[in-house]
């Protein structure tokens, strides 16, 4: 993930390797990933994620900000703008070169499913897990009434009674566990129509007033014939993107999309229960759109449109990440058709299919007896079931297609056993052994590779979890994985290892469970890295876990179980649905959180250290005994490396054999503190420093029902907090320090960015070593991040508010965070080895900027726009070498003064508890004052265009032809301030309006109001927090939030326009999007339009983007319908996000900072009414504040594979194609088209 200045995802990462990034060194876990682990994985899988990342509390950050989209699974819709009501906390994330993961080729295996957009609900649903779906534990649902509870819970109740009565003994334990079925969620309604269509209905009221429908067709790329490679994906595009019934959902705050994978194609619609404008029920419309998929008509024009989009997508996804992933999957599944059935397909075939051939695939596989329909949300289950019967019963069942012998389709196969699996078979791990079979290594050499990545895989059957014994076995296996990952994070970090992860996951998309060791190391010392990693694995195999390790993992398990049960019916539709679909696919019993908590408590009480260590030996021995005669051979071994490294197959095998042959001793125990600050020390600090609260900043009751409290400590630290039970037993803290990379002009270049990363990489404090502090955070499930962007230094913490470990001296998670924060702000120990690791990460990131097409082109563009201002570019290696530990320490500590620190908290803790902890741990920090005073800063702008002008080109070496194009220019910052300090929408003394052509004079708002009239309206009512907001003062344009919401509306509208024009009408791209960097402190900002295209169409795609901006300013201005659709979307996302701690922390951050004068309580209080009040003319006027003319606009085309300057023409008549009114609705992260 990403330190400041290096925050981009190169390509996309699979869910598993996102976690691998989190697990580098002592890294911190991104909150969105944490919530994903908490909410969208099964409990055991969550614990594995959480603990493996908890070891990383001050190491390489995984970045708490949402991920940009995943190019390997790119959207059919333009990306959604930043999360309302604020933009991202780190403006730099919009420029790809500022978002680069330094170790991206660490082995991303599981993101090859074709297509789908990531959007800002990513914060809620988090990164996509469908790519590596189906977790090893049973899944869960909502609460139910007492009678249902008692009946559903009966098997567990009986087992508990027998356990308490002493009738369960060591001798009959396994029999009793195996004889106790896991309870099924009593509110989960299932059925099968006479035509074979299966359905699942799940009532859920989180969020209230919304539901989701998903249609799962059990046919994916693995079902294709030799001549149909990519047809499942093509069929998905044509079936849904061409649906007129789907278009009826546009403008209703609905989101639609689809995903193609190896084993299935899933179509979905997320809708409000009632249409916002009319109150008409939306469920029939959503089901009708999915029914239309089953009855799709294949029009030639629609097929051609989607053919163009898919060809553009194929070029876009072909990043080095994608190519590595293809190599890994091809090696792992060399014995079956997955190795050559990637969902994106073969370009030469996609170019030549006829409409009838695509329709034939649809008829063969889109059968009701080959589909499953899911409905979840705020719906009447009886009504939903009746609608399913009424609307889908007429579909005719058809037999499955037959395959010719030359297709090499094995029968029987795993799909005949489980229809959710792809039609393949596997050679399971152990079928080959050393001494009898040859060990082969799959090698991949490429110039875009950074360092050496090594991957060892073993495949096993998916084991359904339906009894307590199954669940216990799954728990034990997870505990081993968690404990081993903790060891690898704590003890195997730093040079030469960039990343290492050991995992065991179920994958229904691959019809197997996969155990994997993934690691990345420097090219010079990769054998040493192998030796270090295998040594830790061998220790685990021979000596197992210690009692304290087991207790640590069990405590985390039980804590997570308790938190999930407390969350209950507040789990979102998206998470619930993913749980249900994954449990269906793997054959797991689908439980609700309360049932799961009871099952977890029961199996935890039955687990012994001996059981766990037996599982540890079984999981680890294959690597610990690598090369030994008779030992099981891995399913695959893959080595990826850059040219010049030249790693032979024999060298790889020899390195693992040598590592496995080394002698190892058992791990030395590290004493883990129960508390970082002893109670007597706390009392001493309070007595010495006498912390107090200053008088309240707000009058009593001034929070308008939103619950936000602002206070200030006597030492100057500012505190904002809000108590919330929306995420039970969870909390989120953000520390905001105004400084950032823009202040590096006062220090050495890169000092702020490297200083923040050095804090992240370290961890020693208060007399405790880094290892002790890491394990303290593991024990208390604390995740954290320290990062710097251009404007701020951030520290973020995600944690439980309750106790995780029991004991008289153990503190709660929130108190543990406060102790860590106290040390970070006052008693942090700066370490040379932490600086070395920080520099290593930045070196890798800088190198990768040059190798990544998107990042390199964006860096080239921004360098020209800013006149090479280093503060907005990646840190140069020479600047890294010039930095000493004193340099970075001085830079950071110059701003870590109590008068410059703001702490914002949201979570499940009462106000008095928050204030008491803040007074104890923040109030006792000695007062200090920054000697560097904040001053107005403007975005840097080149004084003159470079010799080649403002239209730039860049060629990046690569074997394959790819292209990306950017359009950029200046824009107002988040608060509507232009570079130089001028207000974007300042009203002039006198203005005029040009006539019909729409040519406008810049600098005025009033003329547009006269021309465009009234804005949108939306029914008033009680807001999400109980505050009634119907109208604002007539002078709403003076509201500090006005520029912010106007910019967001503009961003939303332009994204939709780009999608409709550049993709739909001109067929030049698969994805075009518009983003605003939206700085908060810096005067001015930038907009950035990104478009991917085939190299020969890059210039035309870029021109089409420019034309779209020009049209919106002239002959095709923004309409009321445009504005209404955008407003519905922003308000819907805002209302959903209000249920998360993360969002509230974002809303509160900056409330008390003088350098962010536009932010006050009205920022969150008035967001919805402000959206409702903005007029079309306001948005149009804001558009005129963007530098979109030829004198102010910059462009850059980046190309690779010798494609620079290549141009081609779009098909004749493309501009005349019918435009069906497609709009790019916001899609939850991980939903793919």
């Amino acid at each position: 993930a990403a330190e400041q200045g290096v925050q981009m995802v190169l390509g996309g990462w699979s869910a598993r390797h996102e976690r691998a990034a989190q697990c580098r060194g002592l890294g911190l876990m991104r909150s969105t990933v944490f919530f994903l682990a908490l909410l969208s994985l099964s409990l055991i899988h969550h614990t594995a994620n959480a603990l493996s990342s908890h070891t990383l509390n001050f190491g390489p950050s995984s970045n708490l900000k949402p991920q940009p989209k995943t190019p390997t699974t790119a959207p059919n819709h333009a990306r959604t703008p930043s999360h309302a009501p604020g933009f991202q906390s780190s403006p730099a994330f919009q420029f790809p070169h500022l978002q680069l993961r330094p170790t991206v080729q660490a082995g991303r295996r599981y993101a090859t499913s074709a297509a789908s957009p990531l959007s800002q609900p990513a914060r809620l649903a988090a990164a996509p897990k469908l790519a590596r779906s189906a977790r090893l534990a049973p899944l869960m649902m909502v609460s139910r009434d007492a009678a249902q509870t008692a009946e559903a819970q009966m098997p567990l109740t009986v087992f508990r009674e027998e356990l308490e009565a002493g009738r369960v003994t060591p001798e009959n334990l396994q029999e009793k566990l195996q004889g106790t079925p896991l309870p099924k969620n009593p509110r989960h309604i299932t059925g099968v129509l006479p035509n074979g269509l299966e359905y699942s209905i799940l009532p859920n009221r989180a969020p209230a007033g919304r539901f989701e429908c998903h249609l799962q067709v059990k046919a994916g790329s693995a079902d294709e014939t030799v001549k149909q490679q990519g047809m499942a994906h093509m069929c998905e595009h044509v079936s849904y993107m061409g649906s007129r019934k789907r278009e009826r959902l546009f403008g209703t705050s609905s989101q639609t999309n689809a995903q193609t994978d190896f084993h299935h194609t899933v179509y979905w619609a997320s809708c409000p229960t009632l249409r916002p404008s009319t109150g008409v029920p939306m469920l029939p419309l959503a089901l009708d759109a999915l029914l239309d998929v089953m009855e799709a008509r294949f029009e030639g024009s629609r097929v051609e449109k989607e053919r163009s989009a898919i060809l553009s997508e194929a070029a876009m996804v072909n990043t080095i990440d994608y190519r590595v992933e293809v190599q890994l999957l091809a090696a792992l599944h060399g014995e079956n058709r997955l190795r050559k059935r990637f969902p994106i397909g073969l370009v030469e075939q996609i170019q030549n299919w006829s409409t009838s051939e695509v329709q034939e695939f649809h008829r063969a596989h889109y059968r009701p007896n080959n589909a499953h329909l899911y409905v979840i949300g705020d719906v009447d289950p009886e009504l939903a079931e009746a609608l399913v019967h009424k609307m889908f019963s007429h579909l005719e069942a058809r037999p499955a297609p037959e395959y010719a012998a030359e297709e090499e389709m094995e029968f029987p196969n795993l799909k005949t056993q489980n229809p959710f699996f792809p039609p393949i078979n596997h050679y399971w791990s152990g079928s080959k052994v050393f001494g009898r079979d040859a060990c082969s290594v799959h090698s991949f050499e490429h110039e875009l590779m950074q360092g050496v990545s090594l991957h060892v895989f073993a495949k096993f059957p998916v084991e359904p979890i339906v009894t307590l014994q199954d669940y216990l076995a799954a728990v034990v296996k997870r505990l081993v994985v968690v404990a081993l990952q903790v060891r690898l994070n704590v003890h195997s970090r730093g040079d030469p290892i960039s990343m290492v992860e050991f995992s065991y996951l179920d994958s229904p998309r691959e019809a197997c469970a996969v155990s994997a060791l993934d690691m990345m190391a420097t090219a010079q010392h990769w054998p040493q890295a192998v030796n270090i990693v295998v040594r830790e694995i061998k220790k685990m195999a021979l000596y197992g876990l210690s009692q304290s390790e087991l207790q640590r993992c069990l405590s985390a398990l039980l804590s997570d179980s308790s938190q999930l049960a407390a969350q209950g019916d507040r789990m979102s539709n998206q998470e619930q649905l993913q749980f249900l679909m994954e449990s269906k696919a793997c054959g797991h019993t689908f439980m609700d959180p309360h049932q799961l908590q009871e099952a977890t408590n029961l199996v935890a009480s039955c687990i012994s250290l001996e059981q766990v260590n037996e599982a540890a030996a079984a999981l680890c021995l294959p690597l610990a005994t690598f090369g030994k005669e008779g030992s099981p051979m891995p399913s695959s071994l893959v080595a990826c490396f850059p040219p010049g490294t030249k790693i032979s197959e024999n060298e790889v095998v020899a390195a693992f054999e040598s590592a496995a042959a080394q002698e190892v001793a058992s791990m030395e125990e590290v004493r883990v503190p129960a508390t970082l600050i002893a109670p007597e020390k706390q009392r001493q600090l309070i007595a010495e420093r006498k912390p107090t609260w200053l008088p309240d900043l707000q009058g009593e009751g001034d929070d308008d029902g939103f619950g936000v409290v602002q206070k200030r400590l006597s030492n100057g630290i500012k505190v904002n907090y809000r108590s919330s039970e929306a995420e039970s037993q969870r909390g989120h803290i953000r520390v905001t320090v105004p400084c950032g990379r823009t202040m590096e002009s006062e220090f050495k270049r890169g000092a702020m960015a490297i200083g923040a990363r050095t804090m992240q990489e370290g961890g020693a404090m208060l007399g405790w070593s880094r290892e002790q502090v890491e394990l303290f955070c593991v024990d208390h499930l604390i995740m954290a991040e320290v990062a710097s962007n251009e404007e701020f230094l951030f520290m973020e913490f995600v944690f439980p508010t309750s106790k995780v470990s029991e004991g008289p001296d153990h503190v709660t998670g929130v108190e543990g965070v406060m102790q860590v924060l106290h040390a970070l702000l006052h008693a942090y120990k700066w370490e040379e080895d932490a600086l070395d690791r920080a520099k290593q990460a930045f070196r890798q990131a800088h190198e990768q900027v040059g190798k990544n097409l998107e990042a390199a082109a964006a860096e080239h563009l921004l360098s020209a726009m800013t006149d090479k201002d280093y503060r907005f570019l990646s840190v140069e290696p020479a600047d890294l070498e010039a930095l000493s530990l004193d340099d970075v320490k001085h830079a950071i500590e110059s701003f870590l003064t109590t008068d410059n620190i703001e702490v914002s908290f949201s979570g499940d803790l009462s106000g008095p508890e928050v204030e008491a902890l803040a007074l104890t741990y923040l109030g006792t920090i000695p007062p200090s004052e920054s000697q560097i005073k904040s001053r107005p800063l403007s975005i840097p702008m080149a004084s003159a265009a470079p010799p080649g002008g403002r239209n730039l080109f860049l060629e990046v070496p690569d074997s394959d032809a790819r292209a990306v194009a950017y359009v950029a220019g200046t824009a107002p910052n988040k608060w509507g301030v232009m570079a130089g300090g001028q207000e974007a929408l300042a009203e002039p003394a006198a203005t005029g309006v040009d006539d019909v052509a729409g040519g406008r004079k810049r600098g005025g708002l009033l003329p547009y109001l006269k021309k465009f009239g009234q804005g949108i309206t939306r029914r008033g009512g009680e807001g999400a927090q109980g505050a009634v907001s119907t109208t604002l003062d007539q002078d709403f344009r003076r509201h500090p939030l006005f520029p912010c919401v106007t910019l967001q509306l503009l961003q939303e509208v332009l994204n939709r326009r780009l999608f409709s024009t550049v993709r739909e009408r001109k067929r030049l791209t698969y994805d075009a999007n518009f983003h605003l960097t939206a700085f908060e402190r810096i005067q001015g900002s930038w907009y950035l339009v990104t478009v991917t295209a085939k190299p020969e169409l890059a210039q035309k795609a870029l021109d089409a983007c420019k034309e779209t901006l020009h049209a919106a300013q002239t002959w095709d201005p923004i309409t009321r319908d445009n504005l209404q659709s955008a407003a519905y979307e922003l308000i819907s996302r805002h209302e959903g996000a209000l249920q998360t701690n993360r969002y509230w922390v974002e809303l509160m951050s900056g409330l008390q900072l003088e350098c962010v004068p536009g932010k006050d309580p009205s920022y969150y209080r008035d967001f919805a009414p402000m959206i409702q009040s903005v007029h079309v003319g306001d948005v149009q006027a804001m558009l005129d504040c963007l530098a979109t003319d030829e004198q102010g606009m910059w462009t850059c085309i980046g190309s690779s594979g010798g494609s620079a300057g290549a141009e081609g023409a779009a098909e004749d008549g493309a501009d005349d194609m019918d435009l069906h009114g497609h709009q790019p609705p916001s899609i939850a992260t991980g939903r793919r088209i």
Side-chain angles (χ1 to χ4, degrees), residues 71 79 428 487 559 604 660 713 753 765 822 858 987 1058 1123 1137 1200 1216:
R79 277 176 269 177
W428 301 121
R487 289 192 189 182
S559 175
L713 288 159
M765 56 182 67
H822 174 95
E987 296 181 5
L1058 286 165
L1123 185 59
S1200 65
D1216 298 324

Side-chain angles (χ1 to χ4, degrees), residues 372-390:
H372 197 117
L373 180 65
Y374 300 85
V375 179
I376 180 173
D378 195 357
V379 296
D380 182 331
E382 293 183 0
L383 175 61
E385 188 170 26
L387 280 171
V388 170
H389 278 263
K390 178 180 177 181

Side-chain angles (χ1 to χ4, degrees), residues 897-909:
T897 54
T898 56
D899 67 325
N900 203 37
I901 295 170
E902 181 192 56
V903 180
S904 300
F905 167 88
S906 177
D908 189 5
L909 203 67

Side-chain angles (χ1 to χ4, degrees), residues 766-783:
L766 299 170
W768 303 105
S769 70
R770 172 182 62 80
E771 291 82 0
Q772 288 175 308
V773 175
E774 287 180 350
L775 292 175
F776 172 83
C777 292
V778 169
D779 283 356
H780 294 82
L781 297 180
I782 297 169
M783 287 150 287

